[in-house]
């Protein structure tokens, strides 16, 4: 069997009854976290641009747009996937370096609503989608990640697998879906140089392309049989080092979704290890930005590749600046959505502290990455005192878990100003296995249409 066929067989054979209670409940938290991120991002300008475009295109009213109203399945993927990625609070898997929620969940929800499927079917499909994209991401990382945005590339496979599951495709058709997902996989990191809107296009198209691949496969639209391992396939063309064994190792005997990490700070996950250390020291020693002389960060090279930006010029760019993020959390003792503002971006106190931040790669953290995303921070004060903190597991990792009540609190914080009832919405998601997705989203659509300005 080809690797695509093995992943297809796994996807087809997976049943809701196979899922341990822990996996079901954890998947609901993933859905809640995606939903909160999507609601929080829906009014951002890039999302409104995508919304305006899909309105110009038109489309059958099949699936709910997180921005309000309904459109086609594909259009819903574009809007909802982009919206859930823009506030930088979506989930992340360390060893594959993928934000699966922002790609797999909007695709699955759009199909589940359009075809009036159950919460049990949705949960099962999401588990399959996470499993497939995480395994592919692990196989090609970290070399793939230097040029390619794994969420966009590997995430396309996850969207296709979840969609294929919901469409009840057979093994051959599911392999077709994976093959045609792989040939569409794209997403280059160059946008980071400009702080461009492109990152939202990455998730939008990954969700959309996976659905497109599965919908065509339903019509027996064929694809390359060895899209992963073929001599002109995904591995050879997009990774300098890859490990095929990651695709099938313990496949069907574990559930990778529970390896998922969740963000607590509203910034790029690569900034979080150092931010956690700075926050710990600031709280333990009552530090303020006024008495700090220097902040020295030792971490892994990818942090520098993605977030070494000493002069961010927009709120969005500031979320990809280690210098800004550690200065912000030192000054505010918080880095939530409400802390990333124009005021904080131009704050003389924060800007002054940014000049005192150095970021260096360290052999220990380089060697541990991507299984561990760690950092060591040393803060020096005016009086010469030095304080150190380190972590291998920032808050939200499975090894440093954010508990259910913390995730509900995070959700409430993300949606509290969007005229929704956070407690009611959370309760609905934690009862998802007992409802039809269309019923849940019809209520959401009504709430969005009737929310106050």
């Amino acid at each position: 069997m080809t690797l695509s066929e093995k992943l297809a067989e796994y996807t087809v054979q997976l049943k809701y009854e196979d899922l341990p209670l822990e996996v079901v409940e954890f998947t609901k938290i993933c859905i809640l976290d995606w939903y909160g991120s999507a609601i929080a991002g829906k009014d951002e300008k890039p999302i409104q641009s995508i919304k305006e475009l899909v309105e110009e295109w038109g489309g059958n009213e099949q699936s709910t747009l997180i921005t309000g109203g309904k459109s086609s399945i594909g259009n819903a993927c574009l809007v909802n996937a982009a919206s859930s990625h823009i506030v930088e609070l979506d989930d992340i898997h360390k060893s594959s370096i993928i934000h699966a929620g922002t790609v797999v969940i909007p695709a699955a929800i759009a199909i589940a609503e359009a075809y009036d499927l159950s919460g049990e079917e949705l949960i099962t499909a999401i588990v399959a989608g996470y499993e497939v994209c995480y395994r592919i991401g692990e196989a090609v990382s970290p070399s793939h990640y230097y040029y390619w945005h794994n969420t966009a590339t590997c995430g396309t496979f996850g969207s296709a697998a979840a969609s294929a599951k919901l469409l009840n495709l057979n093994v051959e058709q599911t392999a077709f879906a994976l093959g045609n997902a792989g040939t569409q996989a794209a997403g280059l990191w160059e946008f980071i140089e400009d702080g461009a809107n492109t990152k939202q296009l990455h998730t939008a198209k990954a969700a959309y392309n996976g659905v497109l691949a599965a919908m065509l496969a339903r019509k027996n639209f064929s694809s390359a049989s060895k899209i992963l391992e073929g001599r002109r396939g995904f591995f050879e063309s997009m990774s300098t080092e890859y490990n095929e064994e990651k695709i099938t190792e313990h496949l069907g005997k574990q559930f990778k979704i529970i390896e998922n990490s969740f963000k607590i700070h509203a910034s790029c996950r690569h900034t979080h290890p150092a931010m956690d250390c700075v926050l710990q020291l600031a709280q333990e020693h009552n530090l303020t930005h006024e008495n700090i002389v220097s902040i020295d960060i030792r971490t892994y090279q990818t942090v520098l590749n993605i977030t070494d930006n000493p002069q961010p010029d927009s709120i969005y760019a500031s979320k990809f600046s280690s210098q800004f993020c550690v200065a912000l959390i030192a000054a505010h003792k918080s880095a939530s959505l409400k802390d990333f503002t124009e005021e904080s971006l131009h704050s003389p106190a924060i800007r002054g502290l940014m000049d005192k931040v150095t970021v260096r790669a360290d052999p220990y953290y380089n060697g541990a990455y991507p299984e561990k995303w760690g950092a060591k921070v040393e803060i020096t004060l005016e009086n010469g005192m030095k304080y150190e903190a380190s972590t291998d597991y920032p808050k939200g990792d499975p090894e440093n878990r954010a508990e259910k009540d913390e995730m509900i609190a995070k959700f409430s914080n993300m949606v509290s100003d969007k005229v929704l009832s956070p407690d009611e919405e959370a309760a609905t998601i934690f009862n998802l296995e007992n409802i039809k997705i269309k019923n849940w989203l019809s209520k959401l659509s009504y709430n969005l249409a009737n929310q106050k300005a």
Side-chain angles (χ1 to χ4, degrees):
M1 295 177 71
T2 67
L3 294 179
S4 293
E5 288 170 338
K6 291 176 181 178
L7 290 172
E9 184 177 68
Y10 163 81
T11 300
V12 170
Q13 291 180 353
L14 184 66
K15 297 179 176 60
Y16 180 80
E17 293 73 23
D18 298 332
L19 306 180
L21 179 61
E22 176 195 10
V23 172
V24 171
E25 294 304 308
F26 192 89
T27 303
K28 293 176 192 175
I29 292 175
C30 293
I31 296 169
L32 180 77
D33 200 53
W34 169 82
Y35 183 38
S37 292
I39 291 287
K42 71 185 184 66
D43 297 323
E44 297 291 327
K45 288 182 180 180
I47 309 309
Q48 290 298 309
S49 296
I50 297 174
K51 172 198 170 187
E52 291 168 8
L53 177 61
V54 301
E55 287 176 347
E56 291 172 14
W57 281 352
N60 295 332
E61 294 189 354
Q62 298 171 302
S63 304
T64 297
L65 303 178
I66 207 74
T67 51
K70 293 192 175 187
S71 190
S72 67
I73 293 172
N75 285 348
C77 286
L78 293 174
V79 171
N80 298 348
S83 186
S84 62
H85 196 46
I86 195 167
V87 297
E88 290 296 326
L89 277 165
D90 46 337
D91 63 11
I92 180 71
H93 182 248
K94 291 180 293 183
S95 57
S96 68
I97 328 178
I98 296 174
H99 303 275
T102 195
V103 174
V104 173
I105 295 177
I109 284 180
I111 289 179
E113 179 184 10
Y115 291 96
D116 197 20
L117 302 178
S118 69
E120 289 186 352
E121 291 170 295
L122 176 69
I123 289 168
T124 309
I126 289 171
V127 171
Y130 272 60
E131 191 79 24
V132 167
C133 69
Y134 282 171
R135 288 177 173 276
I136 294 172
E138 286 179 332
V140 296
S141 294
S143 66
H144 177 76
Y145 190 68
Y146 184 79
Y147 293 107
W148 301 98
H149 185 195
N150 290 24
T151 301
T153 54
C154 307
T156 306
F157 292 98
S159 169
S163 301
K165 184 65 178 174
L166 289 166
L167 294 170
N168 200 29
L169 303 190
N170 61 33
V171 172
E172 180 183 47
Q173 291 170 324
T174 302
F176 286 165
L178 294 174
N180 281 322
T183 205
Q184 298 178 86
L188 292 164
W189 272 113
E190 183 62 22
F191 77 87
I192 202 78
E193 302 297 331
D194 308 286
N197 299 150
T198 306
K199 195 164 188 273
Q200 278 47 258
L201 184 61
H202 285 184
T203 55
K205 285 301 302 298
Y208 178 97
N209 288 344
V211 169
L212 173 63
M215 298 289 280
L216 286 173
R218 196 184 192 200
K219 301 179 183 297
N220 297 310
F221 190 96
S222 65
S223 72
S225 60
K226 295 183 178 180
I227 194 63
L228 293 172
E229 71 271 34
R231 66 188 180 92
R232 288 179 286 189
F234 188 76
F235 292 162
E236 284 289 330
S237 63
M238 299 173 77
S239 181
T240 57
E241 295 180 16
Y242 56 87
N243 183 355
E244 290 187 19
E245 293 180 3
K246 293 288 187 180
I247 301 296
T248 56
E249 186 177 50
H250 307 304
L251 180 63
K253 299 178 181 178
Q254 60 181 201
F255 296 95
K256 284 195 167 292
I257 193 168
I258 63 173
E259 299 173 2
N260 209 34
S261 297
F262 299 103
K263 289 184 179 182
I264 302 303
H265 313 307
S267 59
C268 175
R269 183 62 170 179
H270 295 301
T271 66
H272 289 204
M275 292 172 76
D276 280 1
C277 292
V278 170
L279 180 60
Q280 175 190 332
L281 294 175
Q283 291 174 334
E284 287 180 354
H285 304 287
N286 196 29
L287 307 183
T288 66
H289 64 275
E290 292 98 339
N291 60 12
I292 294 175
V293 172
S294 66
I295 301 176
D296 180 47
I297 301 169
R298 298 185 182 188
T299 187
Y300 51 96
Q301 181 61 42
T302 300
V303 173
L304 279 74
N305 296 345
I306 304 297
T307 69
D308 183 14
N309 181 2
Q311 295 295 331
D313 58 4
S314 68
I315 294 174
Y316 190 71
S318 74
K319 297 182 176 210
F320 290 83
S321 166
S322 284
Q323 292 87 344
F324 179 87
C325 289
V326 297
L328 173 70
I329 206 162
H332 287 199
K333 310 297 189 292
S334 171
S336 70
L337 275 178
K338 297 173 183 177
D339 293 298
F340 285 88
T341 63
E342 288 291 340
E343 181 180 359
S344 63
L345 177 66
H346 301 292
S347 163
I350 292 174
R351 286 285 174 173
L353 189 54
M354 287 171 64
D355 293 337
K356 302 172 184 178
V357 177
T358 58
V359 187
R360 295 181 286 167
D362 181 275
Y364 167 77
Y365 295 109
N366 273 338
Y369 178 78
E371 283 72 25
K372 297 178 180 179
W373 294 27
K376 179 179 180 180
V377 171
E378 180 181 84
I379 296 180
T380 303
L381 306 185
E382 287 180 333
N383 62 8
M385 292 291 294
K386 296 180 185 290
Y387 297 104
E388 288 186 357
S390 63
T391 184
D392 285 328
Y393 304 110
K395 181 68 173 178
D397 274 5
E399 300 85 356
N400 188 10
R401 191 175 298 280
E403 300 300 332
K404 180 178 177 180
D405 59 345
E406 293 177 283
M407 295 304 297
I408 293 173
K410 174 189 172 182
F411 172 77
S412 180
N413 182 58
M414 287 192 285
V415 305
S416 60
D417 61 344
K418 303 296 182 182
V419 200
L420 295 170
S421 170
D423 291 342
E424 186 177 334
E425 294 295 331
T428 298
I429 289 172
F430 286 114
N431 188 42
L432 208 56
E433 71 270 41
N434 297 313
I435 65 175
K436 288 291 188 76
I437 301 306
K438 182 176 286 187
N439 294 342
W440 166 38
L441 293 175
S442 292
K443 182 179 179 182
L444 168 64
S445 183
Y446 175 84
N447 288 339
L448 292 172
N450 290 279
Q451 69 178 355
K452 298 176 183 177

